[in-house]
Amino acid sequence: MTYRGERQRKCTMRRTLTILVIICIIESPGLLAAAYQPGYSSSYALVVGINDYHHWPNLEYAAKDAAEIAAVLKTKDFHVFILTNQKATKQNILRQLETIRKSADANSRVVFYFAGHGQTEDLPGGRERGYIVPVDADAYDWQSTMLPMDQLNRTIKKIKAKHILLAFDSCYSGLGLTRSIKRHTEHDSTYIKKMMQSRSIQILTAGSRSEQAIEAEGHGLFTDHLLAALSGAADINSDGHITATEIYATVRPSITKQSHSRQTPQFGYIEGNGDIIFYNTPAKRERTMILLDTRVDGIDVWTGNTEIGHRLKIGRHRLPTFAGQTSIIVKKGGQTLYREQVDLQANHAFPIRIGGSVRVSRQREPFSTLTITNRNVENYSNSLAYDLDGDGEEEIITASGSSLYAFKADGSTLWKRKFKFSITVNLIDDWNSQPAIALSGVDYNNVHLLLLNSDGEELWQHVRKITHHHGGKPDGGGRIAKLADIDLDGRKEIIAITTADYALKPRGIIVYDQRATELWRYLMGPRPQNIVIWENVQGRPDIIIGTYSSADGNHEMHNGTHDRQSYVISVDGYGRTNWVNPMGEYYTGVCVLTVDLNNNERQSLYAHKFTSFTLREDDGGIYKISRTGKTIQRFDTKNSILSVAAAGSASTRTKYLYAADHEMNLYKLDGRLNLLQKKPLNATSPNREIRLVGVHDYDGDGYNDLLLYSFERLMSDKNPLTANSPGTNVFYSNLKFQIYSQDFSKLIKSISLSEGWRQQSGFTVTDLNRPEMPHYPFMALSDKIVVYNY
C-alpha cells in the first residue's frame, strides 16, 4: 500500500538515493584533539540533484530536494556549490569535492548532498558495493561510469574538516556502520564543547536495508522531515544548537508514524565520537491554538514534524501548538486531506475545516433552500459564498452597482461597503492566513483593484491609470484573477488580468506584490480569458493563460501573438514565455483548467475551445496539453465547447471530464479524452445554451451528480435592458438549473430560477467553496439569491 501520488526510492538492485553528507575532519594519528578550536572556521557544501538522466529513468523531486537543502545550508553560512541535472557528471562531482578539499581546514564543516539514483552490486560472500549514479552513468557499466561509495569515502577522508555526517534518503547498504546510536541524550554546554573537540563520521539514513524510501508531497519523505529538522525543528532543548543526534531523534518518530512503520530512519558512526553541530537561533516559544472542525473520522494532524492530533473523531477539537511559521498537515491513513504553509500568531486561534464546514441537519430534505432578498439591493450583479468569520457557515458576498454586501447565513445583512465606482467581486481566497475579498472596478480612466478583509476593511489596493483611448474615452479594464505564491517566498502575490477593447493595448497579466508594487507584466495580442496556476516541481509555478481572438489588430512581437489567433500561453514565475500553443482562428476562444483525474496528486492541463456564436461557424474541442506545450490528446467537436467540469468526489478513484457544447449536448470523457458517453438535451430554442457548474453529490445519495444551468439567448428588440441602448438586441430568457445523474440516465431536478429575472443583469449558478459533503450545496443568483441545501 502506498500514499496517493507517492513514489518509492527503492533499496533493491536499482534504487533511488538522496544523500546528505556533512563532511568534517577525519582524525589522523598526528592530529590531536587539542588542535580543534571552538566553532567552525568555514563551512562548505556540495549539493547534487538529478532529475533528467541520460540512460536511467527520470525522477521528479531530486533536483527540488537538492535546491531546498542548499537554501537551508546557505542560511547556516555554508558556501554552497550546486550541480543539478546535466552538470551532475561523475567528473564534476569529484572535481568539486577536490575543490572543497583544497579549501577546507582542520576546523571546517563540509556538506555533500546527493539526490538521484543509486545502485547496489552483490559481491561474492554476501558482501555488497554501493554506487552513486551520476547523470552520465551507463545503465550496465557500473564500475567505470558510476561513483562507488568506497571511493566516495576515500575522497571524503582526504578532506581536512572537523565532523562528517552522511544522510541517505535510502538504505545505508554498502556503507559499513561500525556501531549505532539507540537513543538521543540530553545536551548541555559541556557536551557541545566536547563535541567541538572531537572528530567523527556519522551516518543518517531514511530507513533500514529492507525498507523503501518514500517520495510524496513533492519531496522524498525523509528529505521533507530533514529540511524541517535543519530549519529548527530539531533544536529539542532550545539551546540554539542542532546536532546530528537531535536530528535523528526528531525525524525517526515522525517519519515512522507518517509512513505507518514502512520507513524507519537509522543512525550511527563510521568513525570517532563527535557530533556535527548546526547553529539555530531559538525563537520565543509562544503558545497558540488550532481550532479543527472535522467531518472526517480518524484523522492525524501535524505541525511541522510534530503530531498534535492522533486519530481524531468527527467534531470540533482545540489543538495546542506553538506560534510561528510552520506547515499544517492533516492526513487520514495515507491520504493528505490538508496541507498549508502558515504563520501561526500567538494567542490567535487558527481555524481549519475538514470534510465540510456547515452543519447540515439530518432531517433537512434535498434541495431545501435559503432565499436572500433585500429591498435595498436593486440588482445582485454577482455573488460568492465564503466562511469569513470561521463559524462553520458561509457568508454571501454580493455586489450591487457601487455597493458590496455581506449577508449572514440566515440572510440578514452583516455589513455594507460603498464605493465611488461600480464594482465586481472577482474571487475570495486565503491571504496571509485570513480571508480576502478581491474586487475590481473602473472609475473613468482608472482601474481599481482591491482586497478587503472579512469585515469589509481594505487590505490592499492598486490603481492603474488607463492611457489608451478610443473615441476620446478611456479604453480598458482589468480584474484580479488569482492570489498565488509565484516567487515561493511563502506569501501570495496578486495576479491581475488586463483587458482592452477598441483601443487595443494593454492586454495580458500583471503580477503585484503585497506592497502593491508591480513585479512584472506579460503582454499578448488576443484577449486573456482565464488563467490557472500549474505547480512545477522544478521551482516557481507556471501561469497558464487561455485567450480569445477578437481580430481587431492587436499584436505582440516578443511572443509572436496577435488577435487573429487564439492561444494557450505558458509563462514562468519570472514573466518569461515557456511556450505558445495556437488553438484557433479569429473569433475563437479557449479556456484552461488543471485537474487531477488519476488521484495521483498531479495536475494535468486541459483546454476547451469555443467560438463566437454570432460571428462565425462553430468550432470546438477539448485538448490535453503537456508541460512543454504539446497537445498530447484531443477531442474535436463541430460545436463550441462552452464549459467543462471535472468529477470531484474524493471517494471515487475514477474521475471524468464533463463538457457541454452549443447544440445542447453533454459529453463524458476519461482523462485521455476518450468519449465514454454523449447525451443530447433536446433544445427548445435555436439559441439555447448550457453551462456546467460542478460534479458533486447534490441529492445526498452517495453518488456524484452533474449540475448545470441553461438559458435562451434571444434576438429581439423587446429587451427590457435596452431602453437606453436601442441598438442592443440580445437578451436572455428561461434561466433554470438542472441536475443529472453522472451517467446522464436520470434528470434529478429541474427548477426555473425566477419569473421576473429578465429585469436584472446578473444571473448564474455556482458551487459553494467547500470540501465534499452529503447534499452538496450550491447557489443560484438572479433577482434574488437562493442557496440550495444550505
Side-chain angles (χ1 to χ4, degrees):
M1 179 177 179
T2 61
Y3 292 150
R4 290 178 56 204
E6 77 182 33
R7 290 191 175 186
Q8 295 177 336
R9 300 178 177 184
K10 298 182 179 179
C11 297
T12 55
M13 288 299 292
R14 177 171 294 178
R15 67 185 178 206
T16 302
L17 295 176
T18 299
I19 303 173
L20 169 64
V21 182
I22 306 213
I23 306 166
C24 306
I25 286 225
I26 310 296
E27 184 172 11
S28 63
L31 189 58
L32 300 176
Y36 297 113
Q37 302 298 319
Y40 297 107
S41 59
S42 57
S43 301
Y44 299 94
L46 173 58
V47 176
V48 182
I50 308 170
N51 284 344
D52 304 322
Y53 276 90
H54 295 172
H55 307 295
W56 286 69
N58 290 338
L59 299 174
E60 288 189 272
Y61 305 137
K64 179 182 178 182
D65 283 347
E68 296 195 22
I69 287 288
V72 169
L73 292 176
K74 286 179 181 179
T75 67
K76 299 186 178 301
D77 298 324
F78 280 83
H79 180 73
V80 178
F81 302 90
I82 187 165
L83 298 173
T84 58
N85 292 327
Q86 303 310 309
K87 295 182 180 180
T89 63
K90 177 180 178 181
Q91 182 179 7
N92 284 345
I93 292 171
L94 293 174
R95 183 184 295 119
Q96 290 291 1
L97 287 175
E98 177 64 16
T99 299
I100 291 174
R101 184 191 69 80
K102 293 178 179 179
S103 302
D105 60 33
N107 282 291
S108 296
R109 287 182 301 178
V110 179
V111 172
F112 174 74
Y113 175 95
F114 177 86
H117 279 301
Q119 183 79 321
T120 299
E121 179 183 16
D122 290 328
L123 301 176
R127 295 178 296 116
E128 297 174 331
R129 192 185 197 193
Y131 296 87
I132 285 173
V133 183
V135 69
D136 54 346
D138 188 87
Y140 301 100
D141 187 3
W142 299 359
Q143 288 81 4
S144 62
T145 64
M146 298 182 194
L147 180 56
M149 289 304 302
D150 51 4
Q151 180 183 351
L152 178 63
N153 282 338
R154 290 193 301 270
T155 302
I156 289 170
K157 291 179 181 181
K158 294 178 182 179
I159 299 175
K160 295 180 179 180
K162 188 156 34 183
H163 295 136
I164 298 177
L165 171 68
L166 298 88
F168 293 78
D169 202 340
S170 180
C171 64
Y172 61 84
S173 177
L175 294 177
L177 287 172
T178 59
R179 60 189 175 88
S180 62
I181 299 295
K182 298 299 184 183
R183 62 183 181 88
H184 163 66
T185 57
E186 291 295 328
H187 297 164
D188 55 24
S189 59
T190 303
Y191 176 87
I192 297 297
K193 182 177 179 180
K194 180 179 180 181
M195 293 303 100
M196 278 296 183
Q197 296 176 345
S198 305
R199 57 182 179 260
S200 66
I201 305 176
Q202 298 164 284
I203 293 182
L204 178 65
T205 76
S208 61
R209 178 188 174 185
S210 61
E211 295 174 341
Q212 297 174 329
I214 298 167
E215 281 192 335
E217 304 295 340
H219 283 292
L221 178 63
F222 173 75
T223 300
D224 196 18
H225 288 252
L226 179 60
L227 285 166
L230 289 171
S231 299
D235 189 1
I236 295 174
N237 57 1
S238 299
D239 66 347
H241 300 94
I242 296 173
T243 66
T245 52
E246 283 183 310
I247 292 174
Y248 172 62
T250 303
V251 302
R252 179 183 171 95
S254 59
I255 292 175
T256 302
K257 286 184 179 180
Q258 192 169 338
S259 66
H260 303 286
S261 298
R262 290 185 294 144
Q263 185 175 328
T264 307
Q266 305 294 309
F267 179 59
Y269 283 81
I270 289 180
E271 263 185 49
N273 57 6
D275 203 352
I276 179 70
I277 297 170
F278 296 92
Y279 298 105
N280 178 56
T281 302
K284 184 179 179 181
R285 305 287 280 177
E286 295 182 291
R287 305 290 299 187
T288 188
M289 187 80 64
I290 291 177
L291 296 180
L292 177 71
D293 183 3
T294 177
R295 295 295 177 266
V296 179
D297 192 42
I299 63 173
D300 302 323
V301 183
W302 300 70
T303 54
N305 287 336
T306 304
E307 187 177 26
I308 61 173
H310 184 69
R311 299 296 187 267
L312 299 178
K313 296 184 178 299
I314 292 173
R316 292 199 169 194
H317 304 270
R318 299 172 63 87
L319 306 176
T321 186
F322 291 102
Q325 291 190 350
T326 187
S327 58
I328 300 177
I329 305 171
V330 180
K331 284 182 170 288
K332 180 177 174 63
Q335 181 183 1
T336 299
L337 305 179
Y338 178 94
R339 185 185 182 99
E340 187 73 22
Q341 191 75 22
V342 300
D343 186 4
L344 298 178
Q345 303 296 316
N347 303 316
H348 181 77
F350 186 86
I352 299 176
R353 293 171 299 281
I354 302 298
S357 58
V358 172
R359 306 176 192 87
V360 179
S361 170
R362 296 181 182 274
Q363 289 74 38
R364 186 178 289 273
E365 294 296 325
F367 309 113
S368 55
T369 65
L370 166 70
T371 301
I372 299 175
T373 59
N374 190 313
R375 294 181 180 179
N376 297 321
V377 181
E378 297 179 355
N379 178 24
Y380 297 94
S381 58
N382 72 314
S383 298
L384 291 175
Y386 198 94
D387 184 5
L388 297 177
D389 54 11
D391 67 349
E393 295 183 330
E394 277 99 346
E395 283 69 48
I396 310 299
I397 313 303
T398 186
S400 173
S402 59
S403 296
L404 183 71
Y405 295 86
F407 297 109
K408 295 181 180 179
D410 60 5
S412 61
T413 302
L414 182 63
W415 50 259
K416 174 186 177 182
R417 176 80 186 272
K418 181 77 172 178
F419 298 89
K420 296 181 179 180
F421 45 85
S422 296
I423 58 168
T424 300
V425 183
N426 301 148
L427 57 91
I428 307 178
D429 198 359
D430 177 78
W431 197 69
N432 294 341
S433 300
Q434 64 177 313
I437 306 166
L439 307 176
S440 61
V442 177
D443 179 16
Y444 186 60
N445 63 343
N446 291 317
V447 176
H448 297 262
L449 305 176
L450 303 100
L451 294 179
L452 306 182
N453 66 12
S454 57
D455 297 319
E457 300 168 341
E458 186 176 296
L459 292 171
W460 182 93
Q461 181 183 21
H462 180 80
V463 180
R464 178 174 60 85
K465 193 174 186 64
I466 301 174
T467 57
H468 292 81
H469 292 71
H470 174 76
K473 297 181 179 180
D475 178 81
R479 69 182 187 275
I480 296 176
K482 292 285 182 182
L483 306 180
D485 183 7
I486 297 300
D487 57 8
L488 302 180
D489 66 350
R491 297 175 297 176
K492 290 184 178 180
E493 284 70 51
I494 293 86
I495 309 172
I497 285 179
T498 65
T499 59
D501 294 321
Y502 300 102
L504 307 181
K505 297 181 181 181
R507 291 175 180 163
I509 61 173
I510 304 178
V511 178
Y512 303 96
D513 66 13
Q514 297 205 0
R515 297 184 299 273
T517 301
E518 180 180 320
L519 298 180
W520 51 263
R521 66 173 60 192
Y522 186 87
L523 300 181
M524 63 193 71
R527 300 178 185 178
Q529 286 292 111
N530 77 317
I531 70 170
V532 295
I533 308 300
W534 200 7
E535 292 187 0
N536 190 344
V537 296
Q538 302 290 344
R540 292 189 178 190
D542 297 325
I543 303 173
I544 312 298
I545 311 168
T547 66
Y548 174 75
S549 167
S550 53
D552 50 19
N554 205 2
H555 66 279
E556 286 294 336
M557 298 298 293
H558 74 95
N559 54 19
T561 61
H562 53 82
D563 58 15
R564 295 181 303 279
Q565 181 85 43
S566 63
Y567 308 88
V568 175
I569 302 173
S570 174
V571 182
D572 70 12
Y574 299 91
R576 303 172 299 199
T577 304
N578 289 325
W579 46 262
V580 177
N581 187 343
M583 296 296 291
E585 298 178 356
Y586 58 89
Y587 305 132
T588 298
V590 59
C591 288
V592 291
L593 75 156
T594 53
V595 62
D596 174 16
L597 291 182
N598 299 316
N599 278 307
N600 61 6
E601 297 188 357
R602 282 194 199 165
Q603 299 287 316
S604 296
L605 176 64
Y606 295 89
H608 68 90
K609 185 168 62 174
F610 61 93
T611 54
S612 173
F613 76 101
T614 59
L615 298 174
R616 59 166 296 167
E617 293 295 323
D618 268 354
D619 178 26
I622 306 173
Y623 310 95
K624 185 176 182 180
I625 302 174
S626 72
R627 179 68 71 173
T628 59
K630 295 181 180 179
T631 300
I632 52 180
Q633 275 110 32
R634 60 191 298 156
F635 173 72
D636 291 301
T637 64
K638 297 180 180 179
N639 307 312
S640 289
I641 298 295
L642 301 178
S643 58
V644 172
S649 174
S651 62
T652 305
R653 295 295 300 176
T654 305
K655 296 184 179 181
Y656 306 101
L657 280 178
Y658 295 86
D661 70 11
H662 184 56
E663 296 297 320
M664 295 292 291
N665 294 308
L666 290 178
Y667 302 90
K668 180 178 180 180
L669 306 102
D670 64 16
R672 298 179 61 84
L673 300 184
N674 297 308
L675 178 61
L676 304 178
Q677 214 166 343
K678 178 180 178 181
K679 179 179 179 64
L681 296 187
N682 302 319
T684 59
S685 164
N687 295 308
R688 191 177 178 194
E689 299 184 17
I690 55 177
R691 298 289 188 269
L692 301 182
V693 177
V695 186
H696 300 284
D697 180 11
Y698 293 104
D699 59 1
D701 66 353
Y703 296 94
N704 278 335
D705 311 303
L706 184 63
L707 173 66
L708 57 92
Y709 69 97
S710 62
F711 55 90
E712 293 181 13
R713 191 190 297 262
L714 302 181
M715 310 295 291
S716 172
D717 59 0
K718 297 180 180 180
N719 188 343
L721 301 178
T722 62
N724 298 323
S725 303
T728 302
N729 59 0
V730 178
F731 73 107
Y732 306 94
S733 180
N734 297 336
L735 175 65
K736 65 172 63 175
F737 78 76
Q738 295 175 304
I739 299 178
Y740 282 87
S741 59
Q742 64 171 301
D743 61 359
F744 307 151
S745 64
K746 180 181 178 182
L747 175 60
I748 298 172
K749 201 72 173 179
S750 179
I751 295 180
S752 178
L753 294 182
S754 175
E755 295 296 329
W757 69 267
R758 294 191 204 179
Q759 304 298 325
Q760 313 300 323
S761 61
F763 62 92
T764 188
V765 178
T766 181
D767 274 331
L768 299 194
N769 182 22
R770 64 169 60 180
E772 290 285 337
M773 62 182 299
H775 295 176
Y776 194 92
F778 59 95
M779 180 174 62
L781 172 69
S782 56
D783 57 338
K784 57 181 176 289
I785 300 172
V786 183
V787 180
Y788 292 87
N789 282 341
Y790 196 81

